[in-house]
Amino acid sequence: MQSKDLSMQVKKAIFKLQKQKKTIREIATILRVLKSTVWYILRKKGSTGELSNAKRPGHPRKTTVVDDRRIISMVKRNPFTTANQVNNTLLGVGVSISKSTIKRRLHESKYRGCTARCKPLINLKNRKARLDFAKEDLKKPAQFWKNILWKDETKINLYQNDGKKKVWRRRGTAHYPKHTTSSVKHSEGSVMAWACMAASGTGTLVFIDDVTQDRSRQINSEVFRDILSAQIQLNAVKLIGWRFMIQMDNDPKHTAQATQEFIKAKKWKILEWPSQSSDLNPIEHAFHLLNTKLRTERPTNKQQLKAAAIKALQSIKKEETQHLVMSMSSRLEAASKGFSTKY
């Protein structure tokens, strides 16, 4: 016998064998249980008519209703509160319980300790612009988004650090602003790259230090224009056709007067974009897929990193890029409610 409590199936088998005129010894041998256990089960059935165990009271509850409310209130006010901090607060009012008890109370109220999603830090002015953009473009048809060439710069790390942070939240609330952390740019041990994509697939990956004269990874308006001149028409015609629009955010090198005049001279149509809203851009998730694939490659130097990054970007399937672009409606719907997106 592997546990103190027999399963209901075994208890029913004991009773069935007794009806077949088997002795206690025979029943114990057949079912491989103790004779005393068989005797106890049969006696209980005879006296109470029940095979299941009576409900046990268990250990008395360590917290009161007030204590439970205090625990929930603390994580509601600050979802990043740790079990240690809750415990210290309770000790201040004379309540001494373990961290396990605190976690159980939170679990009972459907809170789970989860990794906080990292989202761009958005100020109030840009939050309003983002909201207006989402509401205005929410009803755009699917074909509109298929004609967009999505482009951006990204940092690709040689040694990746996820910077994860735990947060208490309920199911379905991962992207509420109070449950996410904020990201900033940039760090060492990495390469900067420019890339583009459309619903039909990914485009070229350009490493900034390969196109700058001093081999630096700094990209200014001049370098940015050189990349646009070499890559936009080439990739747009390949992925979309001659009728395309370019997604352009409010990065200083994008909004520079020289850049604006260059784009105007090219007669390219531009999709205006709210500041600090990279999570609305499908290519950001493509970069996430790229970095996920890189974890299996484990490059040890920058040349290996570049080769692995090109391979990883090319391995992203058309079905994946199409899914990302077609997710614009759900991204905008989340943004129109004041939430971050899940991407």
Side-chain angles (χ1 to χ4, degrees):
M1 186 175 63
Q2 296 181 349
S3 62
K4 293 182 180 180
D5 290 334
L6 293 181
S7 67
M8 186 58 66
Q9 185 179 2
V10 174
K11 292 177 182 179
K12 288 180 178 179
I14 291 173
F15 188 62
K16 183 177 180 180
L17 290 171
Q18 188 208 30
K19 284 185 175 182
Q20 295 174 5
K21 307 300 182 182
K22 299 290 185 182
T23 65
I24 290 178
R25 181 187 294 275
E26 290 172 334
I27 295 172
T29 302
I30 293 170
L31 298 178
R32 296 184 179 181
V33 296
L34 297 174
K35 291 185 293 182
S36 58
T37 301
V38 176
W39 176 83
Y40 174 78
I41 295 297
L42 292 174
R43 188 188 70 167
K44 182 178 180 182
K45 176 66 176 176
S47 60
T48 66
E50 297 289 338
L51 289 176
S52 58
N53 292 329
K55 188 175 180 180
R56 296 167 181 163
H59 196 280
R61 194 175 178 90
K62 286 282 189 180
T63 57
T64 65
V65 174
V66 174
D67 297 332
D68 295 345
R69 288 176 180 170
R70 184 177 282 116
I71 293 170
I72 302 303
S73 177
M74 277 188 275
V75 299
K76 274 186 177 179
R77 286 196 304 268
N78 180 10
F80 292 95
T81 302
T82 64
N84 272 333
Q85 291 170 332
V86 174
N87 195 18
N88 291 335
T89 302
L90 293 176
L91 285 173
V93 294
V95 179
S96 179
I97 56 175
S98 68
K99 290 189 293 183
S100 297
T101 300
I102 293 169
K103 292 176 182 178
R104 280 196 296 272
R105 298 299 172 264
L106 291 169
H107 293 167
E108 288 168 4
S109 294
K110 302 189 183 302
Y111 280 92
R112 293 291 182 271
C114 307
T115 301
R117 308 296 174 90
C118 190
K119 300 297 178 180
L121 182 63
I122 308 176
N123 61 36
L124 292 177
K125 178 184 176 181
N126 291 331
R127 193 178 296 275
K128 183 181 182 304
R130 171 190 172 95
L131 188 64
D132 293 340
F133 170 81
K135 290 180 177 179
E136 182 180 346
D137 288 6
L138 184 58
K139 303 300 181 182
K140 291 281 176 64
Q143 188 58 45
F144 175 83
W145 303 113
K146 288 183 179 180
N147 291 333
I148 304 294
L149 184 70
W150 307 91
K151 42 143 283 303
D152 204 358
E153 300 84 44
T154 186
K155 171 176 62 72
I156 304 174
N157 290 326
L158 183 60
Y159 304 106
Q160 298 188 25
N161 177 11
D162 58 18
K164 292 178 178 177
K165 190 176 182 181
K166 291 290 186 179
V167 60
W168 288 104
R169 63 172 175 81
R170 286 175 172 149
R171 185 181 181 88
T173 64
H175 306 286
Y176 284 23
K178 68 177 182 178
H179 294 158
T180 61
T181 60
S182 300
S183 61
V184 294
K185 302 176 181 180
H186 300 285
S187 72
E188 298 300 325
S190 61
V191 294
M192 289 297 299
W194 178 97
C196 62
M197 61 164 271
S200 59
T202 57
T204 308
L205 186 65
V206 178
F207 298 104
I208 306 305
D209 60 358
D210 289 340
V211 296
T212 52
Q213 292 183 352
D214 58 357
R215 305 290 293 177
S216 74
R217 67 176 195 175
Q218 299 299 320
I219 177 171
N220 54 28
S221 176
E222 183 181 357
V223 174
F224 182 64
R225 294 195 304 275
D226 289 341
I227 294 173
L228 294 183
S229 180
Q231 302 297 334
I232 291 296
Q233 198 78 29
L234 176 68
N235 284 280
V237 172
K238 174 186 174 182
L239 297 173
I240 302 169
W242 291 97
R243 298 172 65 87
F244 63 88
M245 183 179 289
I246 308 170
Q247 179 270 336
M248 188 81 71
D249 60 31
N250 291 302
D251 187 284
K253 56 184 170 289
H254 301 178
T255 58
Q257 184 176 351
T259 302
Q260 294 298 311
E261 291 175 353
F262 170 81
I263 292 172
K264 187 176 180 180
K266 290 288 187 179
K267 298 182 179 180
W268 291 334
K269 292 183 179 180
I270 301 298
L271 173 66
E272 299 300 332
W273 201 255
S275 298
Q276 299 172 312
S277 295
S278 57
D279 62 322
L280 294 180
N281 191 344
I283 201 172
E284 292 294 335
H285 199 197
F287 290 149
H288 174 74
L289 293 176
L290 183 152
N291 282 306
T292 300
K293 294 174 184 291
L294 280 178
R295 291 192 182 102
T296 62
E297 296 292 331
R298 299 186 179 279
T300 57
N301 58 55
K302 287 191 176 183
Q303 289 306 313
Q304 291 180 8
L305 178 63
K306 290 179 179 181
I310 293 172
K311 178 182 175 182
L313 186 68
Q314 292 174 344
S315 70
I316 298 175
K317 300 177 182 178
K318 175 183 175 180
E319 292 79 9
E320 292 176 302
T321 56
Q322 185 168 349
H323 172 73
L324 292 177
V325 172
M326 290 301 97
S327 69
M328 279 303 299
S329 58
S330 60
R331 294 170 191 259
L332 294 173
E333 184 177 0
S336 68
K337 296 176 181 177
F339 299 153
S340 296
T341 71
K342 68 179 182 179
Y343 297 97

